[in-house]
Amino acid sequence: MFRNVAAIFVHLVWPLQGKKAGASLNRCLHQTFTMAKRLPARRLNGIAQNPWVEFVKLASEHEAVNLGQGFPDFAPPDFAIEAFQHAVSGDFMLNQYTKAFGYPPLTKILASFFGKLLGQEIDPLTNVLVTVGAYGALFTAFQALVDEGDEVIIIEPFFDCYEPMTLMAGGHPVFVTLKPSPTQDGELDSSSNWQLDPNELASKFTSRTKALVLNTPNNPLGKVFSKAELELVASLCQQHDVLCISDEVYQWLVYDGNQHISIASLPNMWERTLTIGSAGKTFSATGWKVGWVLGPDTLMKHLRTIHQHSIYHCPTLGQAAVAQSFQREQLHFGQPSSYFVQFPRTIQHNRDHMIRSLQSVGLRPIIPQGSYFLITDISDFKSKMPNLPGDADEPYDRRFVKWMIKNKGLVAIPVSVFYSVPHQKHFDHYIRFCFVKDEFTLQAMDKKLQEWKAELRP
């Protein structure tokens, strides 16, 4: 019908308006009929919405103190900035392509540095891949190793990209939940009290299980998995011939004497593990977007195939700066002058500052063992203010965060976004704060919390 009407219209208008009007109408008709076809690929079904967009927009609109997003609002260490400046002003060839799988000085220092930590002879050419941030490393790993119908075990709470990346690869996410242990009245909970049930974890492995995703230190909880917990995961992966994708971007940020252990360093785990790291989290330079994957060539060769047909190459200047920064840290490793020694001490001070401030308004922080983040229990507010604005089926923590941004000028992230949909309702009484912020931001937080505290007085 529309085609007939269009034909009549062109027949009548053409003599009056000439070829210009007819050409314009043809373009409109062509656009209308081609756009009627399905545009998005089916792999995008169910993953188009992203909660971060909504909360970042709200934070901007209300000029709130942003304690939600996980980035430092202070400069990287001087040596890292100097390394980047040197890369920009030095060898002009650093403005050009480097080797597709990584700038050779960077892959060489990563192999040397992490080889000692993992107890492996790491070949810079076959066991290291440089990616566009840890995000790029994760995406490349999922695309290379997860096939249609493969099951991927994800420990929740989980960094929210694991589920959509599994789905985009055609895989089926299978969730197992860290569960908190009871605490004494008046005692703050710790991320160490959130543990896997060994029997529940074992029940998730089937003949279709291809991989397990491990994140330690964990985002958002801040849990640092103990050696015993890692040995449990390793034993099950070996028993069921399952790969481990280990996201270890916060490995240098551990507190209170806790120790980060890479699961790839355990017996017989190097052969089935991809270890993912991030220069952004390592050197407080998240905008550089330099990440890496370490693993055996039997796995890495498939990641290289994805990499060469998608990203192909990462910016050379950032890689050069990261290489020089690691070379500096290798010389100072384990010494008081090491950034990896100094930085966690500074951030632990920030963590403790935030814990005290949040407690002042009746929030109950869970003490993190590591990472950028802590989560805090808002159960008391849920019982006192159960009917906050929002959709009836919207998790309480999302409504609470929106209320807090608009009314208290503070930004956090609802923890339910880090859970699978069936489990969100069980964990909608927690919100996540980022404490890797400068003193000015923490003081702004204190001011907002003191104003809130004054309003709570009878």
Side-chain angles (χ1 to χ4, degrees):
M1 174 184 173
F2 291 108
R3 290 184 185 272
N4 293 335
V5 171
I8 294 170
F9 183 79
V10 170
H11 177 75
L12 295 174
V13 170
W14 187 281
L16 301 175
Q17 300 297 327
K19 293 183 179 180
K20 186 175 181 181
S24 176
L25 180 60
N26 280 335
R27 281 196 302 273
C28 290
L29 289 172
H30 176 73
Q31 201 171 35
T32 300
F33 287 109
T34 56
M35 300 302 279
K37 294 179 179 178
R38 177 187 173 89
L39 286 179
R42 287 182 176 82
R43 70 179 65 90
L44 301 185
N45 287 350
I47 66 168
Q49 290 187 334
N50 187 311
W52 300 95
V53 175
E54 179 181 13
F55 291 109
V56 170
K57 181 173 181 289
L58 269 177
S60 175
E61 289 173 352
H62 293 274
E63 298 182 356
V65 180
N66 191 350
L67 305 170
Q69 287 177 284
F71 63 87
D73 58 359
F74 48 81
D78 290 344
F79 66 82
I81 293 176
E82 290 166 6
F84 202 99
Q85 290 170 338
H86 178 73
V88 171
S89 60
D91 182 2
F92 69 88
M93 286 305 294
L94 293 178
N95 294 288
Q96 309 306 328
Y97 294 130
T98 185
K99 286 194 173 181
F101 305 130
Y103 176 59
L106 178 55
T107 58
K108 183 177 178 181
I109 189 64
L110 290 174
S112 170
F113 194 96
F114 286 98
K116 294 181 178 70
L117 296 178
L118 298 177
Q120 293 292 328
E121 287 290 332
I122 295 181
D123 185 329
L125 296 178
T126 60
N127 301 138
V128 182
L129 173 65
V130 178
T131 58
V132 180
Y135 239 87
L138 287 161
F139 185 79
T140 303
F142 281 104
Q143 288 295 313
L145 300 174
V146 177
D147 211 348
E148 195 77 30
D150 285 345
E151 293 180 351
V152 177
I153 297 173
I154 300 174
I155 299 169
E156 53 183 1
F158 58 89
F159 183 45
D160 64 310
C161 76
Y162 301 156
E163 182 180 13
M165 286 188 183
T166 299
L167 293 170
M168 278 191 282
H172 175 65
V174 175
F175 302 97
V176 59
T177 308
L178 290 164
K179 296 184 175 64
S181 303
T183 57
Q184 299 293 326
D185 288 343
E187 180 183 279
L188 285 183
D189 195 2
S190 166
S191 60
S192 62
N193 292 332
W194 291 55
Q195 298 185 349
L196 291 168
D197 179 322
N199 293 326
E200 182 183 6
L201 177 61
S203 73
K204 302 297 181 179
F205 287 79
T206 73
S207 60
R208 296 181 298 279
T209 307
K210 183 67 171 291
L212 177 144
V213 185
L214 177 70
N215 178 208
T216 180
N218 172 271
N219 172 14
L221 181 59
K223 177 182 174 63
V224 175
F225 282 76
S226 68
K227 186 176 182 181
E229 290 172 313
L230 295 176
E231 287 173 339
L232 170 66
V233 172
S235 172
L236 289 166
C237 286
Q238 292 172 38
Q239 179 183 337
H240 294 276
D241 193 23
V242 166
L243 305 174
C244 181
I245 300 172
S246 189
D247 180 351
E248 303 181 16
V249 298
Y250 301 106
Q251 73 175 99
W252 306 110
L253 286 165
V254 291
Y255 317 117
D256 302 320
N258 286 289
Q259 181 185 8
H260 169 78
I261 300 171
S262 292
I263 195 167
S265 69
L266 299 185
N268 302 314
M269 282 305 290
W270 166 259
E271 294 80 5
R272 62 177 65 253
T273 302
L274 295 175
T275 303
I276 291 172
S278 160
K281 302 304 192 298
T282 299
F283 296 113
S284 302
T286 58
W288 291 8
K289 292 298 287 181
V290 177
W292 56 85
V293 193
L294 311 173
D297 188 46
T298 51
L299 301 179
M300 296 295 291
K301 64 183 180 182
H302 304 300
L303 274 69
R304 291 194 295 270
T305 299
I306 295 296
H307 184 87
Q308 71 190 13
H309 292 299
S310 56
I311 299 303
Y312 178 68
H313 167 274
C314 302
T316 310
L317 291 169
Q319 294 187 66
V322 173
Q324 192 172 329
S325 297
F326 263 113
Q327 288 161 5
R328 187 265 184 197
E329 276 303 295
Q330 190 169 58
L331 292 174
H332 293 261
F333 189 74
Q335 302 173 25
S337 56
S338 168
Y339 183 68
F340 297 163
V341 171
Q342 294 174 351
F343 189 49
R345 292 174 180 170
T346 300
I347 299 306
Q348 181 171 328
H349 174 77
N350 289 11
R351 180 202 69 171
D352 295 344
H353 179 154
M354 179 175 280
I355 286 171
R356 290 191 298 270
S357 293
L358 293 174
Q359 282 184 281
S360 72
V361 295
L363 293 167
R364 288 183 287 157
I366 293 163
I367 302 172
Q369 301 163 284
S371 85
Y372 275 10
F373 310 106
L374 63 81
I375 71 174
T376 184
D377 193 328
I378 57 171
S379 296
D380 291 346
F381 289 90
K382 187 176 181 181
S383 61
K384 293 173 184 175
M385 304 187 305
N387 299 315
L388 291 177
D391 296 335
D393 59 348
E394 187 176 22
Y396 182 81
D397 57 346
R398 300 192 197 193
R399 288 182 282 142
F400 182 88
V401 167
K402 292 175 191 176
W403 171 84
M404 189 172 68
I405 293 171
K406 294 174 183 176
N407 296 280
K408 304 304 175 188
L410 290 170
V411 183
I413 298 296
V415 168
S416 63
V417 304
F418 303 105
Y419 281 89
S420 57
V421 171
H423 295 157
Q424 288 179 359
K425 61 181 178 294
H426 302 301
F427 294 91
D428 72 345
H429 55 287
Y430 297 100
I431 59 177
R432 190 198 77 173
F433 290 94
C434 176
F435 51 82
V436 183
K437 301 296 179 184
D438 70 9
E439 192 63 28
F440 178 80
T441 302
L442 294 176
Q443 288 175 358
M445 171 196 72
D446 290 341
K447 184 174 182 294
K448 297 288 187 184
L449 289 170
Q450 288 306 309
E451 292 170 355
W452 190 352
K453 182 179 177 180
E455 294 172 11
L456 292 171
R457 291 193 188 112

